[in-house]
Amino acid sequence: MNLLDDSIYVVVAVLAVAGLGGGAWLTSRTPRNLRGAALNGLVILVSSVLILAGVGLVLNRSNAWFEKPSDILGGAESKEEHQQKGAASDTFVREDAVTRTDTRALPALPAPGQRTQVFNVPTSVGNATWAVTVILPSGYFEPGEAQRAYPVLMAGHGMPGSTRQFQSVIDMATVGDQAVSQRKIAPFITVVPSLMPNGKDTECVHGPGGDTQVETWLARDVPAFVAERLRVVPQRSGWAWLGFSAGAWCGSMVTMRHPDRFSAAVSLGGYFRPAWTSKPPLNAQRLAGYDLVALAKTKPPRVALSVHSTRKDASSWASTKPFLESARAPMSVTAAIDSAGGHNFSVWRPQVPKGLAWLGAGVPGFKP
C-alpha cells in the first residue's frame, strides 16, 4: 500500500464509515445492562481508533511523512542518485588559512564545564530575546585545548518543533563525537537556535512586525553572540548550517542570502521557496527575495550546499527539483536523491553523519 497515493482516501472513507456508522449501529444493539455497557465501551474505543487512524492517514498524505507502512518502522528501501551542480565541490571557496587558535579571555559560561549550554540571545531589531542551545565538543574544556578555535555548525530543527530535537531524535553530541573520532570532520560547536520565537512559525524570514525579524537574528545576532562567548573560527569557511525540513529551508536561505557569514549548508528534506499554505506575512515583492530557486539561477552566491531529498517527498521535492536544475557556479550543489521515502526522521537520521563527512571533506574550516 502506498500511503501517499490519492487512493488512500478510499481507505480513509472506509475507516470513517466503520468508525462512525459501525460504532453507532453496534451500540444501538447492545443490551442495556452491565455487560452491554462494557461492550459499548469497547465499541467506542475501537471506533475512536479507526477514526484517529483515518485522520492520521489524511495528515500523512498532506505532509508526505511516510510512503509505505514499513517506513514507519524501518525506513524505505530506495536507490540513491548523486548529482553535482554548479561549481566543482572542491573549489567553491578559496579562503586564506583558517584561524585555529583563540587566546581571548572570554566571559564565564552559564553552566561551567558542561557540554550543553543554554543562552537567551537578544535581537538587534526589536527588544526580544530567544533561546539558543549550544552543544560543545567533548574536548572543549580540556587544558590542552584551552586555546583551540572551533568551527560552528548551526542546526535547524523542524517546525513545529524545538531545539531539543538535536538532543533526542537526533543526538548531535553522539553523532558529532563519532564523526570526529573517525576523523571525518574537525571537532565543532553545534548551535541550535529556536526557529519558532514566541511560538510563531515565521520560516525564518523578515516578517512585518518588530518581533519577527528572525533572519537578522540568525544571520547576525546569534553568530556575534556566540563569537563573543566561545572560541570559534572567525572565517566564513568555519561556519555552516545543517537542518531538516523547515530547519533545512532556514539553513539554506540564511546561507545563500548571507554568504559573508556562512559558507555551506546541509539540507535534509528541505525546500527552496517559503511554504506558507495560508496568508504569508510578506507581500509579493518581498517574498520574491526568498525564492532560492531564482537566486540560484540569477545571482548564485559563492557557497556550497549538500542536498538530500526523495522523489516521494512532495514537501521537499517540489522545489528541490527546480533548484537543482537552476544551480549555477560559483555556487556548488552536491545532491543525493532517493527514489523512495517520505518526510520523516527515519529518512533524515542516516544522512546526518554523511552531511558531517561532506563538511569535513570539502569545507576548509571543518576539515580535520
Side-chain angles (χ1 to χ4, degrees):
M1 178 190 300
N2 191 316
L3 301 179
L4 303 182
D5 285 346
D6 289 340
S7 59
I8 200 66
Y9 292 117
V10 176
V11 178
V12 173
V14 171
L15 291 174
V17 170
L20 294 173
W25 182 79
L26 287 172
T27 53
S28 69
R29 298 180 64 84
T30 55
R32 299 295 184 259
N33 53 31
L34 186 60
R35 178 172 176 272
L39 288 174
N40 279 341
L42 179 61
V43 169
I44 292 172
L45 176 62
V46 173
S47 297
S48 300
V49 170
L50 293 176
I51 294 169
L52 289 174
V55 172
L57 288 172
V58 171
L59 291 174
N60 182 78
R61 174 64 180 80
S62 299
N63 294 283
W65 291 328
F66 300 100
E67 181 189 6
K68 300 176 181 177
S70 59
D71 296 352
I72 300 173
L73 299 177
E77 293 184 4
S78 63
K79 181 179 180 181
E80 192 172 86
E81 169 192 339
H82 295 270
Q83 303 178 22
Q84 179 66 45
K85 302 290 183 179
S89 60
D90 60 348
T91 62
F92 76 97
V93 285
R94 296 293 186 185
E95 303 285 355
D96 295 330
V98 177
T99 303
R100 301 285 185 178
T101 59
D102 189 338
T103 60
R104 297 173 299 158
L106 299 173
L109 296 175
Q114 301 299 311
R115 291 187 62 182
T116 301
Q117 306 284 329
V118 179
F119 300 95
N120 289 315
V121 180
T123 62
S124 59
V125 181
N127 299 314
T129 57
W130 298 324
V132 172
T133 298
V134 172
I135 303 171
L136 298 172
S138 61
Y140 188 86
F141 296 106
E142 293 180 3
E145 305 292 334
Q147 294 184 351
R148 179 170 186 164
Y150 295 88
V152 176
L153 181 66
M154 302 276 285
H157 62 76
M159 300 184 205
S162 73
T163 60
R164 290 196 59 80
Q165 288 179 339
F166 282 97
Q167 297 171 276
S168 54
V169 288
I170 294 178
D171 184 353
M172 203 64 192
T174 300
V175 174
D177 287 350
Q178 291 174 346
V180 169
S181 67
Q182 296 167 0
R183 294 195 56 77
K184 292 181 177 180
I185 190 172
F188 60 93
I189 296 171
T190 303
V191 175
V192 193
S194 174
L195 301 183
M196 295 186 66
N198 305 326
K200 296 179 180 179
D201 181 358
T202 66
E203 292 202 270
C204 301
V205 307
H206 282 331
D211 63 341
T212 53
Q213 307 306 302
V214 182
E215 182 184 355
T216 294
W217 186 68
L218 294 173
R220 305 295 181 195
D221 302 341
V222 173
F225 186 95
V226 169
E228 289 173 358
R229 288 160 176 80
L230 299 170
R231 304 192 307 274
V232 300
V233 171
Q235 288 86 1
R236 63 185 287 271
S237 66
W239 290 74
W241 274 85
L242 180 147
F244 49 84
S245 189
W249 149 260
C250 291
S252 299
M253 181 271 291
V254 173
T255 298
M256 290 182 64
R257 285 172 56 89
H258 300 272
D260 57 321
R261 174 70 280 171
F262 301 99
S263 65
V266 177
S267 170
L268 307 179
Y271 47 91
F272 297 90
R273 293 186 176 108
W276 289 295
T277 55
S278 58
K279 183 180 179 181
L282 304 177
N283 58 40
Q285 182 178 1
R286 292 187 66 195
L287 185 60
Y290 291 99
D291 186 342
L292 302 186
V293 176
L295 182 61
K297 186 174 183 178
T298 60
K299 295 182 179 179
R302 190 167 62 96
V303 297
L305 267 66
S306 172
V307 176
H308 180 269
S309 184
T310 83
R311 297 181 185 277
K312 299 295 184 179
D313 180 358
S315 300
S316 170
W317 185 242
S319 60
T320 297
K321 183 177 184 293
F323 177 78
L324 296 179
E325 294 170 348
S326 300
R328 301 285 186 273
M331 185 170 66
S332 172
V333 180
T334 302
I337 309 303
D338 280 335
S339 59
H343 196 74
N344 58 76
F345 284 105
S346 65
V347 173
W348 305 325
R349 193 180 294 108
Q351 298 298 325
V352 174
K354 296 179 182 179
L356 297 180
W358 173 83
L359 285 169
V363 183
F366 289 84
K367 287 186 176 181

mmCIF file of all heavy atoms in Angstrom, residues 307-341:
data_model
loop_
_atom_site.group_PDB
_atom_site.id
_atom_site.type_symbol
_atom_site.label_atom_id
_atom_site.label_comp_id
_atom_site.label_asym_id
_atom_site.label_seq_id
_atom_site.Cartn_x
_atom_site.Cartn_y
_atom_site.Cartn_z
ATOM 1 N N VAL A 307 22.523 18.569 -0.570
ATOM 2 C CA VAL A 307 21.062 18.463 -0.582
ATOM 3 C C VAL A 307 20.652 17.000 -0.622
ATOM 4 O O VAL A 307 21.108 16.238 -1.490
ATOM 5 C CB VAL A 307 20.477 19.208 -1.799
ATOM 6 C CG1 VAL A 307 18.954 19.017 -1.870
ATOM 7 C CG2 VAL A 307 20.828 20.688 -1.745
ATOM 8 N N HIS A 308 19.795 16.605 0.315
ATOM 9 C CA HIS A 308 19.202 15.274 0.270
ATOM 10 C C HIS A 308 17.689 15.404 0.231
ATOM 11 O O HIS A 308 17.088 16.155 0.995
ATOM 12 C CB HIS A 308 19.602 14.425 1.476
ATOM 13 C CG HIS A 308 19.000 13.050 1.430
ATOM 14 N ND1 HIS A 308 17.777 12.751 2.001
ATOM 15 C CD2 HIS A 308 19.431 11.901 0.854
ATOM 16 C CE1 HIS A 308 17.493 11.482 1.777
ATOM 17 N NE2 HIS A 308 18.476 10.950 1.083
ATOM 18 N N SER A 309 17.069 14.659 -0.681
ATOM 19 C CA SER A 309 15.616 14.638 -0.777
ATOM 20 C C SER A 309 15.197 13.288 -1.349
ATOM 21 O O SER A 309 16.051 12.471 -1.721
ATOM 22 C CB SER A 309 15.119 15.786 -1.668
ATOM 23 O OG SER A 309 13.706 15.826 -1.699
ATOM 24 N N THR A 310 13.905 13.043 -1.383
ATOM 25 C CA THR A 310 13.377 11.853 -2.041
ATOM 26 C C THR A 310 12.302 12.280 -3.025
ATOM 27 O O THR A 310 11.594 13.280 -2.805
ATOM 28 C CB THR A 310 12.768 10.841 -1.041
ATOM 29 O OG1 THR A 310 11.425 11.224 -0.724
ATOM 30 C CG2 THR A 310 13.596 10.768 0.235
ATOM 31 N N ARG A 311 12.181 11.527 -4.099
ATOM 32 C CA ARG A 311 11.199 11.869 -5.127
ATOM 33 C C ARG A 311 9.768 11.684 -4.640
ATOM 34 O O ARG A 311 8.825 12.167 -5.277
ATOM 35 C CB ARG A 311 11.452 11.027 -6.374
ATOM 36 C CG ARG A 311 12.809 11.304 -7.022
ATOM 37 C CD ARG A 311 13.033 10.478 -8.271
ATOM 38 N NE ARG A 311 14.374 10.670 -8.808
ATOM 39 C CZ ARG A 311 14.745 11.664 -9.601
ATOM 40 N NH1 ARG A 311 13.847 12.571 -9.957
ATOM 41 N NH2 ARG A 311 15.988 11.773 -10.036
ATOM 42 N N LYS A 312 9.586 11.002 -3.532
ATOM 43 C CA LYS A 312 8.247 10.781 -2.984
ATOM 44 C C LYS A 312 7.878 11.813 -1.920
ATOM 45 O O LYS A 312 6.755 11.820 -1.427
ATOM 46 C CB LYS A 312 8.149 9.379 -2.380
ATOM 47 C CG LYS A 312 8.372 8.249 -3.383
ATOM 48 C CD LYS A 312 7.275 8.226 -4.445
ATOM 49 C CE LYS A 312 7.443 7.032 -5.381
ATOM 50 N NZ LYS A 312 6.368 6.991 -6.410
ATOM 51 N N ASP A 313 8.812 12.670 -1.558
ATOM 52 C CA ASP A 313 8.580 13.674 -0.527
ATOM 53 C C ASP A 313 8.100 14.964 -1.199
ATOM 54 O O ASP A 313 8.892 15.809 -1.602
ATOM 55 C CB ASP A 313 9.866 13.920 0.269
ATOM 56 C CG ASP A 313 9.698 14.958 1.372
ATOM 57 O OD1 ASP A 313 8.590 15.510 1.501
ATOM 58 O OD2 ASP A 313 10.673 15.204 2.101
ATOM 59 N N ALA A 314 6.783 15.112 -1.309
ATOM 60 C CA ALA A 314 6.231 16.270 -2.012
ATOM 61 C C ALA A 314 6.606 17.574 -1.327
ATOM 62 O O ALA A 314 6.782 18.601 -1.986
ATOM 63 C CB ALA A 314 4.713 16.136 -2.106
ATOM 64 N N SER A 315 6.743 17.560 -0.006
ATOM 65 C CA SER A 315 7.079 18.779 0.718
ATOM 66 C C SER A 315 8.451 19.313 0.325
ATOM 67 O O SER A 315 8.691 20.521 0.349
ATOM 68 C CB SER A 315 7.052 18.519 2.226
ATOM 69 O OG SER A 315 5.783 18.100 2.653
ATOM 70 N N SER A 316 9.348 18.417 -0.044
ATOM 71 C CA SER A 316 10.713 18.803 -0.385
ATOM 72 C C SER A 316 10.964 18.800 -1.889
ATOM 73 O O SER A 316 11.522 19.751 -2.440
ATOM 74 C CB SER A 316 11.699 17.855 0.306
ATOM 75 O OG SER A 316 13.019 18.043 -0.156
ATOM 76 N N TRP A 317 10.555 17.748 -2.572
ATOM 77 C CA TRP A 317 10.954 17.538 -3.961
ATOM 78 C C TRP A 317 10.370 18.585 -4.913
ATOM 79 O O TRP A 317 10.994 18.947 -5.918
ATOM 80 C CB TRP A 317 10.564 16.140 -4.413
ATOM 81 C CG TRP A 317 11.036 15.790 -5.800
ATOM 82 C CD1 TRP A 317 10.275 15.476 -6.882
ATOM 83 C CD2 TRP A 317 12.397 15.732 -6.257
ATOM 84 N NE1 TRP A 317 11.058 15.228 -7.978
ATOM 85 C CE2 TRP A 317 12.367 15.372 -7.622
ATOM 86 C CE3 TRP A 317 13.628 15.953 -5.646
ATOM 87 C CZ2 TRP A 317 13.523 15.233 -8.382
ATOM 88 C CZ3 TRP A 317 14.792 15.812 -6.402
ATOM 89 C CH2 TRP A 317 14.727 15.453 -7.751
ATOM 90 N N ALA A 318 9.201 19.129 -4.591
ATOM 91 C CA ALA A 318 8.555 20.080 -5.495
ATOM 92 C C ALA A 318 9.434 21.287 -5.782
ATOM 93 O O ALA A 318 9.427 21.820 -6.899
ATOM 94 C CB ALA A 318 7.214 20.525 -4.901
ATOM 95 N N SER A 319 10.201 21.756 -4.799
ATOM 96 C CA SER A 319 11.105 22.887 -5.048
ATOM 97 C C SER A 319 12.563 22.451 -5.176
ATOM 98 O O SER A 319 13.380 23.193 -5.733
ATOM 99 C CB SER A 319 10.979 23.935 -3.938
ATOM 100 O OG SER A 319 11.312 23.388 -2.678
ATOM 101 N N THR A 320 12.896 21.262 -4.664
ATOM 102 C CA THR A 320 14.276 20.780 -4.795
ATOM 103 C C THR A 320 14.621 20.498 -6.249
ATOM 104 O O THR A 320 15.717 20.836 -6.723
ATOM 105 C CB THR A 320 14.484 19.509 -3.958
ATOM 106 O OG1 THR A 320 14.292 19.813 -2.577
ATOM 107 C CG2 THR A 320 15.882 18.945 -4.148
ATOM 108 N N LYS A 321 13.698 19.902 -6.989
ATOM 109 C CA LYS A 321 13.952 19.581 -8.395
ATOM 110 C C LYS A 321 14.289 20.825 -9.210
ATOM 111 O O LYS A 321 15.343 20.859 -9.877
ATOM 112 C CB LYS A 321 12.751 18.850 -8.995
ATOM 113 C CG LYS A 321 12.927 18.404 -10.440
ATOM 114 C CD LYS A 321 11.709 17.614 -10.911
ATOM 115 C CE LYS A 321 11.921 17.071 -12.322
ATOM 116 N NZ LYS A 321 11.984 18.164 -13.331
ATOM 117 N N PRO A 322 13.459 21.878 -9.195
ATOM 118 C CA PRO A 322 13.851 23.079 -9.952
ATOM 119 C C PRO A 322 15.088 23.771 -9.385
ATOM 120 O O PRO A 322 15.835 24.414 -10.131
ATOM 121 C CB PRO A 322 12.613 23.978 -9.866
ATOM 122 C CG PRO A 322 11.830 23.473 -8.705
ATOM 123 C CD PRO A 322 12.097 22.003 -8.646
ATOM 124 N N PHE A 323 15.327 23.649 -8.089
ATOM 125 C CA PHE A 323 16.535 24.235 -7.511
ATOM 126 C C PHE A 323 17.774 23.576 -8.103
ATOM 127 O O PHE A 323 18.732 24.269 -8.496
ATOM 128 C CB PHE A 323 16.525 24.072 -5.998
ATOM 129 C CG PHE A 323 17.769 24.582 -5.315
ATOM 130 C CD1 PHE A 323 17.955 25.936 -5.107
ATOM 131 C CD2 PHE A 323 18.757 23.706 -4.903
ATOM 132 C CE1 PHE A 323 19.113 26.417 -4.494
ATOM 133 C CE2 PHE A 323 19.914 24.166 -4.296
ATOM 134 C CZ PHE A 323 20.091 25.529 -4.090
ATOM 135 N N LEU A 324 17.776 22.251 -8.186
ATOM 136 C CA LEU A 324 18.927 21.547 -8.756
ATOM 137 C C LEU A 324 19.102 21.902 -10.232
ATOM 138 O O LEU A 324 20.233 22.019 -10.716
ATOM 139 C CB LEU A 324 18.752 20.044 -8.589
ATOM 140 C CG LEU A 324 18.709 19.524 -7.146
ATOM 141 C CD1 LEU A 324 18.511 18.016 -7.126
ATOM 142 C CD2 LEU A 324 19.970 19.899 -6.391
ATOM 143 N N GLU A 325 18.009 22.071 -10.927
ATOM 144 C CA GLU A 325 18.090 22.431 -12.347
ATOM 145 C C GLU A 325 18.610 23.855 -12.536
ATOM 146 O O GLU A 325 19.180 24.174 -13.582
ATOM 147 C CB GLU A 325 16.707 22.291 -12.988
ATOM 148 C CG GLU A 325 16.209 20.847 -13.040
ATOM 149 C CD GLU A 325 14.751 20.746 -13.457
ATOM 150 O OE1 GLU A 325 14.063 21.800 -13.481
ATOM 151 O OE2 GLU A 325 14.294 19.633 -13.758
ATOM 152 N N SER A 326 18.427 24.713 -11.528
ATOM 153 C CA SER A 326 18.785 26.126 -11.655
ATOM 154 C C SER A 326 20.188 26.456 -11.154
ATOM 155 O O SER A 326 20.706 27.526 -11.455
ATOM 156 C CB SER A 326 17.776 26.989 -10.882
ATOM 157 O OG SER A 326 16.468 26.813 -11.389
ATOM 158 N N ALA A 327 20.791 25.577 -10.356
ATOM 159 C CA ALA A 327 22.064 25.883 -9.696
ATOM 160 C C ALA A 327 23.160 26.198 -10.706
ATOM 161 O O ALA A 327 23.336 25.493 -11.698
ATOM 162 C CB ALA A 327 22.478 24.713 -8.812
ATOM 163 N N ARG A 328 23.876 27.273 -10.438
ATOM 164 C CA ARG A 328 24.951 27.726 -11.316
ATOM 165 C C ARG A 328 26.183 28.060 -10.473
ATOM 166 O O ARG A 328 26.083 28.384 -9.299
ATOM 167 C CB ARG A 328 24.533 28.999 -12.072
ATOM 168 C CG ARG A 328 23.293 28.858 -12.942
ATOM 169 C CD ARG A 328 23.583 28.085 -14.225
ATOM 170 N NE ARG A 328 22.431 28.082 -15.111
ATOM 171 C CZ ARG A 328 21.434 27.193 -15.054
ATOM 172 N NH1 ARG A 328 21.448 26.258 -14.103
ATOM 173 N NH2 ARG A 328 20.435 27.240 -15.905
ATOM 174 N N ALA A 329 27.374 28.019 -11.123
ATOM 175 C CA ALA A 329 28.596 28.481 -10.480
ATOM 176 C C ALA A 329 28.478 29.991 -10.253
ATOM 177 O O ALA A 329 27.792 30.674 -11.016
ATOM 178 C CB ALA A 329 29.792 28.141 -11.358
ATOM 179 N N PRO A 330 29.086 30.527 -9.211
ATOM 180 C CA PRO A 330 30.083 29.896 -8.334
ATOM 181 C C PRO A 330 29.498 29.058 -7.206
ATOM 182 O O PRO A 330 30.252 28.542 -6.387
ATOM 183 C CB PRO A 330 30.836 31.100 -7.778
ATOM 184 C CG PRO A 330 29.795 32.171 -7.695
ATOM 185 C CD PRO A 330 28.943 31.977 -8.922
ATOM 186 N N MET A 331 28.175 28.921 -7.126
ATOM 187 C CA MET A 331 27.600 28.055 -6.111
ATOM 188 C C MET A 331 27.859 26.600 -6.479
ATOM 189 O O MET A 331 27.889 26.235 -7.662
ATOM 190 C CB MET A 331 26.087 28.299 -5.992
ATOM 191 C CG MET A 331 25.446 27.516 -4.869
ATOM 192 S SD MET A 331 23.727 28.018 -4.544
ATOM 193 C CE MET A 331 22.954 27.505 -6.054
ATOM 194 N N SER A 332 28.053 25.757 -5.465
ATOM 195 C CA SER A 332 28.249 24.329 -5.665
ATOM 196 C C SER A 332 27.156 23.570 -4.932
ATOM 197 O O SER A 332 26.893 23.838 -3.762
ATOM 198 C CB SER A 332 29.620 23.899 -5.133
ATOM 199 O OG SER A 332 29.747 22.481 -5.166
ATOM 200 N N VAL A 333 26.491 22.656 -5.634
ATOM 201 C CA VAL A 333 25.426 21.861 -5.032
ATOM 202 C C VAL A 333 25.712 20.380 -5.266
ATOM 203 O O VAL A 333 25.805 19.923 -6.406
ATOM 204 C CB VAL A 333 24.047 22.220 -5.614
ATOM 205 C CG1 VAL A 333 22.962 21.362 -4.955
ATOM 206 C CG2 VAL A 333 23.741 23.692 -5.411
ATOM 207 N N THR A 334 25.874 19.654 -4.172
ATOM 208 C CA THR A 334 26.034 18.202 -4.205
ATOM 209 C C THR A 334 24.729 17.588 -3.736
ATOM 210 O O THR A 334 24.270 17.880 -2.632
ATOM 211 C CB THR A 334 27.185 17.751 -3.291
ATOM 212 O OG1 THR A 334 28.394 18.405 -3.703
ATOM 213 C CG2 THR A 334 27.380 16.242 -3.358
ATOM 214 N N ALA A 335 24.108 16.758 -4.579
ATOM 215 C CA ALA A 335 22.778 16.244 -4.269
ATOM 216 C C ALA A 335 22.777 14.723 -4.198
ATOM 217 O O ALA A 335 23.456 14.048 -4.977
ATOM 218 C CB ALA A 335 21.764 16.708 -5.308
ATOM 219 N N ALA A 336 22.019 14.196 -3.243
ATOM 220 C CA ALA A 336 21.738 12.760 -3.145
ATOM 221 C C ALA A 336 20.220 12.626 -3.100
ATOM 222 O O ALA A 336 19.585 13.069 -2.149
ATOM 223 C CB ALA A 336 22.380 12.162 -1.905
ATOM 224 N N ILE A 337 19.644 12.025 -4.132
ATOM 225 C CA ILE A 337 18.199 11.931 -4.267
ATOM 226 C C ILE A 337 17.779 10.465 -4.201
ATOM 227 O O ILE A 337 18.232 9.648 -5.003
ATOM 228 C CB ILE A 337 17.720 12.551 -5.593
ATOM 229 C CG1 ILE A 337 18.284 13.957 -5.762
ATOM 230 C CG2 ILE A 337 16.195 12.547 -5.654
ATOM 231 C CD1 ILE A 337 17.941 14.913 -4.651
ATOM 232 N N ASP A 338 16.914 10.142 -3.234
ATOM 233 C CA ASP A 338 16.415 8.784 -3.089
ATOM 234 C C ASP A 338 15.145 8.591 -3.907
ATOM 235 O O ASP A 338 14.339 9.520 -4.067
ATOM 236 C CB ASP A 338 16.111 8.468 -1.621
ATOM 237 C CG ASP A 338 17.368 8.102 -0.835
ATOM 238 O OD1 ASP A 338 18.320 7.644 -1.478
ATOM 239 O OD2 ASP A 338 17.389 8.296 0.375
ATOM 240 N N SER A 339 14.961 7.376 -4.388
ATOM 241 C CA SER A 339 13.767 7.072 -5.173
ATOM 242 C C SER A 339 12.546 6.851 -4.291
ATOM 243 O O SER A 339 11.416 6.916 -4.766
ATOM 244 C CB SER A 339 14.011 5.821 -6.024
ATOM 245 O OG SER A 339 14.330 4.703 -5.184
ATOM 246 N N ALA A 340 12.740 6.567 -3.024
ATOM 247 C CA ALA A 340 11.623 6.284 -2.117
ATOM 248 C C ALA A 340 11.888 6.921 -0.771
ATOM 249 O O ALA A 340 13.001 7.346 -0.464
ATOM 250 C CB ALA A 340 11.417 4.775 -1.968
ATOM 251 N N GLY A 341 10.846 6.985 0.042
ATOM 252 C CA GLY A 341 10.976 7.558 1.372
ATOM 253 C C GLY A 341 10.146 8.816 1.512
ATOM 254 O O GLY A 341 9.933 9.554 0.544
#
